[in-house]
Each structure stands twice: as structure tokens, then as C-alpha cells.
Amino acid sequence: MIEQLEQIEANAMQALAQVQSSAELQTWQNAHLGKKSPLMLVIGNMQSLAKEERPLVGQAGNRIKNNLQTAASARAESLAVAELSAKLKAESIDVTLPGRPHSGGRLHVSNQVLRQIYAIWAEMGFQVYRSRDVETDEYNFQLLNFPVGHPAREMQDTFHTHIPDVILRTHTSPGQIHAMRQFCPEPIRVILPGMCYRYEQITTRSEVQFHQIEGLAVGRNITFSDLKGTLTDFARRMFGQGVRTRFRTSYFPFTEPSAEMDVECFLCSGKGCKVCKYAGWLEILGCGMVHPVVLSNGGYDPQAFTGFAFGMGPERIAMLKYAIEDIRYFWGNDLRFLKQF
Ligand code: PHE
């Protein structure tokens, strides 16, 4: 019987040596010290032994039980140490590593240029006036002196909606009518920024959506000299005090006379380069004296009031300023492009 117990002990010790984790140790406990383990079965079966054998077997049984328990707790301790150090190793943090770079957001290049332009006009006393992106044919064209079927409409291919005569504005000029109808008969000095939409082939130079900043001044004694002086002052504030400007005659149905303003190419100082196509000049806006028909559509008496208006494209200005060769970059959402500004 004693021999059997010693065999049980040897088996248990051997099995304990194989245990690699706390979970395995728990299984070992059940198998070798649990109620149904060989050892416990022997200890529980003492009554069936001869009387003189019982104390010997009892002593041996208890000694083996204690041995196994001591060995198991020693094993448990060493496993706990090993498991803890494995966990620490797996979760270790190298505090000497540099931090991950935080890339902060920034304003889109169009917004940067828009804000620069707002600030300049604000200094000159022009207020920002906003109007809607979705317009009627009446405001976008008819009230601006483009009658139905007028060939000048072809300059601005239009996005129509499923509602007849409701369109996306092709320019910010309909805002002129909204502003005039709101402020009449007071004098006006506003800029009207916003997104415009044209149903055009997308190319390096034209997109289906782009910003415009319209300007409008209406008063009793406004002349073409005021238009030239104000826009020249704007160009100097925007591109530098030394910049030269020139006005070329043009045509818009809602202004008469009409002009386009060029600034001397600020990349080559007028000598001629790729950006100005060797002309030395860059066109930056359309302008003119508000047409009498448009003034009266806005509620003003064209005999008593005059005004000037202009429209410029901030994306175009940004392209010139930063030598961006393709307008598609603006809405392409490519971070490599956006991060440069
Ligand atoms: N609305 C014109 C365009 O989109 C620009 C313009 C505005 C011209 C105001 C004259 C006066 O081309």
C-alpha cells in the first residue's frame, strides 16, 4: 500500500513538472489533489485496511498530500512570476520613442484667399452680403438683362433642377438684385461671395463649381473713375503697392460700359513668363457700371443713381499667386496638395 502511495506521489510530481500555466495548474490540482484523485481515494478508503496498517498508510498519505501541496504552491508562485514578466514584456512601452506627429487641420486654400479678399474690402468699407446658391432663371438672368433666348446666356452653361426655372446660380451677380431690393433707396457698398456652378467640361482651367466674389456700389455720384480707382486700390492691397493695372473693354449684359481688369504679372513683373503666357498681364476680374435696366430692376431710379459692379474668382487668383497649374486640385481632396498652403 505504501508503495502504491509512493507511486501516486511520483506520478503527481512528474505531471507537475509538465505544468506550464496557471490554468494547467488548476487542472493538475483537480487531478492529483481533488476528491476523486488516486491519493484521496486511498486516504478515503482507510476503513478497508487492516487495523495495524492504517496509521502507517495515514501518515504516508498525509505526508504525500503535504508534499504535493507545497510543490503545487511553489509552482504557482513561479508561474505567477513568469506570467507577470511575460505580460510586462508584451505590453512594454518604450518611453524614449518620439511622439506620433499630430497633423493639425487648416483652412482650404480657397478660404484663405477668400478671407484675405474680405479683409481688404472690409478696410474699404464693403460689407459681406450673402445670397442663395439655388436661384431662379429670373434672378440669374432676366433681371440682369439677359432676356430668354439671349445669346449671352451661352457664356454660362447652366445646371437646371427638376423644377422649371429653378437653377444653380452661374455667377454671384443675382445677389446684386437681392441686395438692391433689400437696401433701396439707400446707397450700397457690398461684396457678395459664394459658390457658382456651371455645366461645363472640366479642364485644367474650368471646374463645374468655383467661388466668385461679386462687388456692388450704388450711389448718387458714382463714376467709372470710382470703379477704376477702387479696383486699382484693391489690386495694390492684394498684390503689392507697386503693382500696375490696366482695363480692357469687355461685354456683360448687366453692365455698361463693361471692362476686364488685368494686373501686371507678379511672377515675372511684366517681363513675360509661362503663367501669364508671355503677355506680362493677368486677367483677374470682370467689371462695369451697373446697367440702367439692372438699377431699375433693383428698384433704383437710373436717372438719379449710378453704380459699379465687379466679379472675381478667388481660385483663379490663388492659381496665379501660387502658380497652381490645374484647377481640379481645389476640389480633389488630395492632402498632398492641401497641406502646401
Ligand atoms: N458675373 C460676371 C461673370 O460671371 C462677372 C461680372 C460681375 C462682370 C460683375 C461685371 C460685373 O463672368
Side-chain angles (χ1 to χ4, degrees):
M1 186 47 72
I2 302 289
E3 255 169 53
Q4 197 194 333
L5 279 172
E6 274 166 358
Q7 189 56 50
I8 287 172
E9 182 182 18
N11 287 346
M13 285 297 194
Q14 210 181 357
L16 186 60
Q18 311 290 321
V19 164
Q20 300 295 347
S21 68
S22 330
E24 283 176 33
L25 186 60
Q26 190 56 52
T27 316
W28 180 91
Q29 293 266 12
N30 296 340
H32 298 281
L33 287 168
K35 275 190 207 143
K36 290 186 178 149
S37 62
L39 179 64
M40 291 309 175
L41 290 178
V42 172
I43 292 174
N45 245 354
M46 296 272 263
Q47 294 92 321
S48 63
L49 296 177
K51 218 171 179 192
E52 58 287 1
E53 242 188 326
R54 284 186 203 165
L56 287 174
V57 172
Q59 276 173 10
N62 280 333
R63 181 175 42 81
I64 290 168
K65 192 174 148 197
N66 285 337
N67 284 351
L68 292 185
Q69 273 168 348
T70 315
S73 48
R75 189 86 191 126
E77 228 166 274
S78 70
L79 280 175
V81 170
E83 280 169 12
L84 179 64
S85 79
K87 192 175 171 207
L88 287 176
K89 207 169 158 198
E91 292 174 3
S92 69
I93 295 168
D94 182 350
V95 293
T96 65
L97 282 176
R100 294 199 182 95
H102 245 281
S103 62
R106 67 190 76 192
L107 285 180
H108 189 280
V109 55
S110 290
N111 283 327
Q112 291 180 30
V113 174
L114 277 165
R115 289 189 184 190
Q116 222 178 323
I117 295 172
Y118 297 163
I120 292 171
W121 287 109
E123 279 173 7
M124 297 202 273
F126 283 73
Q127 226 181 315
V128 171
Y129 183 94
R130 294 196 177 271
S131 66
R132 55 185 80 128
D133 288 30
V134 179
E135 270 298 354
T136 57
D137 185 275
E138 187 190 15
Y139 273 84
N140 196 81
F141 291 121
Q142 292 166 43
L143 295 170
L144 292 169
N145 210 22
F146 291 84
V148 175
H150 191 287
R153 288 182 176 223
E154 283 188 10
M155 294 177 353
Q156 304 185 1
D157 290 324
T158 309
F159 277 113
H160 294 267
T161 67
H162 60 289
I163 306 165
D165 293 330
V166 174
I167 61 171
L168 299 185
R169 65 176 170 199
T170 58
H171 52 172
T172 43
S173 302
Q176 290 188 28
I177 303 288
H178 290 293
M180 284 194 266
R181 289 188 170 179
Q182 183 176 331
F183 294 122
C184 183
E186 300 298 322
I188 301 179
R189 235 179 334 178
V190 290
I191 54 166
L192 308 111
M195 192 66 94
C196 302
Y197 308 86
R198 291 192 195 173
Y199 185 51
E200 279 179 358
Q201 184 76 41
I202 299 173
T203 67
T204 52
R205 293 174 60 81
S206 66
E207 252 289 8
V208 294
Q209 66 175 77
F210 51 91
H211 287 100
Q212 272 192 352
I213 297 179
E214 188 89 6
L216 175 68
V218 176
R220 289 189 180 269
N221 291 305
I222 294 177
T223 65
F224 197 81
S225 299
D226 295 318
L227 164 75
K228 285 180 76 177
T230 309
L231 289 174
T232 301
D233 192 23
F234 165 78
R236 291 189 180 139
R237 290 171 191 244
M238 184 78 199
F239 302 109
Q241 283 302 318
V243 79
R244 295 201 299 157
T245 53
R246 73 176 184 189
F247 289 80
R248 284 177 292 101
T249 52
S250 184
Y251 172 78
F252 303 102
F254 39 93
T255 48
E256 182 59 34
S258 303
E260 277 166 342
M261 184 174 85
D262 296 343
V263 293
E264 195 175 53
C265 180
F266 37 78
L267 294 170
C268 63
S269 313
K271 285 187 208 71
C273 68
K274 230 177 105 185
V275 172
C276 63
K277 301 213 181 75
Y278 303 96
W281 296 92
L282 300 164
E283 181 212 317
I284 65 157
L285 56 83
C287 57
M289 299 305 289
V290 182
H291 196 288
V293 167
V294 175
L295 278 174
S296 63
N297 287 340
Y300 290 85
D301 174 5
Q303 299 299 328
F305 284 88
T306 53
F308 66 73
F310 58 85
M312 62 178 91
E315 278 84 37
R316 194 168 151 66
I317 291 175
M319 285 173 82
L320 300 173
K321 204 168 160 177
Y322 300 115
I324 301 165
E325 69 278 7
D326 194 324
I327 199 169
R328 287 171 289 197
Y329 286 130
F330 284 88
W331 319 126
N333 272 344
D334 186 335
L335 285 180
R336 290 169 303 177
F337 170 73
L338 298 171
K339 274 181 174 168
Q340 294 176 55
F341 305 97

